Amino acid sequence: MTARPLFLVALIALAACHKAEAPPPGADTPRAVPFAAVVRQPLGTGIDVSGRLVAREEAAVSSQLSGYLVARVAVDQDALVQAGQPLAYLDETLLRSDIAQNRAAVAQSRVAAEKANQEASRVSALDHTGVLSDEAIAQRRLAARTAQAQVDQSQAQLSAQLVRQGLMVVRAPVAGRVLTRTVRPGDVASPSTVMFTLARDDRSELDAEIPEELLGAVHPGDHARVRLASGRWVEGTVRLVAAQVDAQTRLGRARILLPVDREIRPGGYARAEMAGPPVPVLAVPEAAVSYDGNGASVTVIEAGDKVRRVAVKTGRRGGGMIELTQGPQAGVRVLTGSQDFVLDGEKVQPVAQKGR
C-alpha cells in the first residue's frame, strides 16, 4: 500500500474518533420542570379517619323456650327478612301431647265444678231450716268454690301451653338483613343461645376513630365521604360523636351513618373524609408531594436553580392542595412533576405551573 492511501485512512479514523467524542446537541441544557410555590392559604379542615363498618343497630334473636329441639331453620345468612317473619321452627310433638292432656283436665274440672255448683244450689234453699246443719251447707259451698278454682287452674295451665305453642316459631323481632346464623336443625333451644343476628333495616355505619385533638371539629350532621375497600366512594352523615375518649389510645369515636348498599358489609374496613371550616395553612399542590419508604417529601428549587429533596409532614387536604405541617416555608419553589427524574444538586429549568 502506498503512503497516500495510508494517510487517507488515518484521517478518516481520526475524524471518526473526534465525532464519537463530541457531546450530543443540548447535553448542557437543564431539564425543564414544572414548579409551584409554597403558599399560605385557607384550607378546609379535612379530617381523614378510618374504622370498622358495623350495623346501625343489631338485633340478637334467640328462643324464649328451653329444652325443645330445633326442627327446621327457615332462613340463612344475608337474607332480608320482615318483622315477624319465621326464622326457625321448634319441634312441638311433646307440647301437643301436653296441650291435649290439659284440655282434658279442663273439661274434667268443669264437669266437677258444675256438679259441685248444683249441690251448693240445692243446699242453699235449706239454709236456716234445720234440715242440714250449717256445717254441712258450708262444706258444699266450699266444695263448689274449690271445684271452680280447679277449673281456673286447669285453664291457666292450658293457656300457658298455648302461649308456649306460639313461641315454637322463632320470629324476626325487626326487619333487616341476617348477619349471622348459628342455629342448626337438632340443636336444643335456649334463651341464652343466640340463633341469629340481624342488622336492623339493613343500615350500616362507619365506627370511625378520631384523634382527641380533632374531635372538637366533628359534629352530628356533618357530611362525610366514605371510601370502601373496593375504592368506591359513598356519602354519609355523622350520626353521633362519642362522649368520651379512650384513656390508652387518646382516640375518640364517631358513627357515620351510611346508605343501604350491598357493598357495605359490617365487619369490613373503610376510610372517611370529613370537611370542616377553612383554616390558613402552608400548602402545596398534591402533585408536589412524593411518597416512598422514608415517608413524604418535596423537591425544592434552591439558588442557582438546583434541586434538593426535603422530607415533609402532611396534614389536611382540599381543592387539590395539601397542607405541610413540617417542611419548606411560604414562597419556596417546589417541583410539581419530574421529581423522580432529577438528582440532588442537579440544575433545572423551572417552568411555572399553569394556574399557580
Side-chain angles (χ1 to χ4, degrees):
M1 184 179 297
T2 63
R4 183 175 180 81
L6 288 174
F7 178 73
L8 291 175
V9 171
L11 286 177
I12 293 172
L14 183 61
C17 291
H18 281 292
K19 186 175 181 180
E21 293 174 357
D28 294 333
T29 303
R31 181 189 300 273
V33 293
F35 78 93
V38 179
V39 296
R40 180 174 293 277
Q41 69 174 46
L43 199 63
T45 54
I47 301 174
D48 291 336
V49 297
S50 61
R52 191 169 58 91
L53 295 170
V54 297
R56 162 69 176 82
E57 182 179 356
E58 285 190 0
V61 184
S62 59
S63 173
Q64 298 183 50
L65 304 178
S66 179
Y68 292 93
L69 294 178
V70 177
R72 181 164 66 91
V73 179
V75 299
D76 208 340
Q77 281 183 303
D78 202 42
L80 280 173
V81 298
Q82 300 299 319
Q85 179 176 332
L87 304 181
Y89 297 86
L90 305 184
D91 187 353
E92 58 180 29
T93 302
L94 295 179
L95 182 61
R96 285 198 298 266
S97 176
D98 292 341
I99 290 175
Q101 292 179 0
N102 282 337
R103 290 187 189 279
V106 169
Q108 185 177 3
S109 61
R110 282 176 177 171
V111 171
E114 184 177 355
K115 185 182 295 185
N117 286 332
Q118 290 174 354
E119 287 290 332
S121 297
R122 280 197 296 268
V123 299
S124 292
L126 303 176
D127 198 7
H128 304 299
T129 62
V131 177
L132 287 177
S133 65
D134 292 342
E135 181 179 355
I137 294 174
Q139 286 178 349
R140 284 171 173 76
R141 289 173 175 170
L142 177 61
R145 290 196 296 271
T146 301
Q148 184 57 48
Q150 185 62 42
V151 172
D152 295 341
Q153 181 179 6
S154 298
Q155 185 62 54
Q157 290 176 346
L158 177 60
S159 297
Q161 294 290 3
L162 293 176
V163 170
R164 186 173 280 107
Q165 187 178 39
L167 296 176
M168 298 297 282
V169 179
V170 180
R171 300 181 182 274
V174 297
R177 188 175 298 276
V178 179
L179 297 180
T180 64
R181 167 202 158 182
T182 57
V183 63
R184 302 165 300 176
D187 287 349
V188 179
S190 171
S192 62
T193 302
V194 176
M195 295 180 171
F196 304 91
T197 302
L198 307 182
R200 184 169 190 167
D201 299 326
D202 197 21
R203 297 302 300 270
S204 299
E205 296 180 324
L206 176 63
D207 184 17
E209 296 181 331
I210 302 177
E212 180 183 10
E213 60 272 15
L214 299 178
L215 204 57
V218 181
H219 307 89
D222 286 353
H223 175 264
R225 297 177 66 240
V226 177
R227 188 176 189 272
L228 305 178
S230 65
R232 188 164 65 88
W233 292 89
V234 295
E235 305 299 317
T237 304
V238 177
R239 184 176 65 84
L240 65 83
V241 180
Q244 63 180 8
V245 175
D246 188 285
Q248 301 297 324
T249 63
R250 313 309 303 173
L251 294 174
R253 312 190 82 86
R255 286 291 187 101
I256 301 174
L257 185 61
L258 303 175
V260 176
D261 191 307
R262 293 298 297 116
E263 194 174 330
I264 301 174
R265 300 179 181 276
Y269 176 84
R271 301 189 64 86
E273 292 181 358
M274 292 181 285
V279 175
V281 297
L282 290 175
V284 295
E286 290 185 352
V289 182
S290 301
Y291 300 90
D292 56 24
N294 296 321
S297 64
V298 296
T299 302
V300 302
I301 303 175
E302 299 181 321
D305 292 339
K306 293 184 178 181
V307 297
R308 180 171 62 89
R309 191 176 298 267
V310 177
V312 298
K313 290 185 179 179
T314 61
R316 64 205 77 185
R317 301 167 183 257
M321 302 292 284
I322 183 169
E323 177 190 7
L324 298 183
T325 59
Q326 179 180 316
Q329 297 302 307
V332 175
R333 298 175 299 172
V334 295
L335 267 61
T336 56
S338 302
Q339 295 97 315
D340 296 333
F341 301 102
V342 295
L343 302 174
D344 280 2
E346 182 178 343
K347 187 174 182 178
V348 297
Q349 179 183 344
V351 179
Q353 182 178 349
K354 292 182 179 181
R356 296 289 177 188

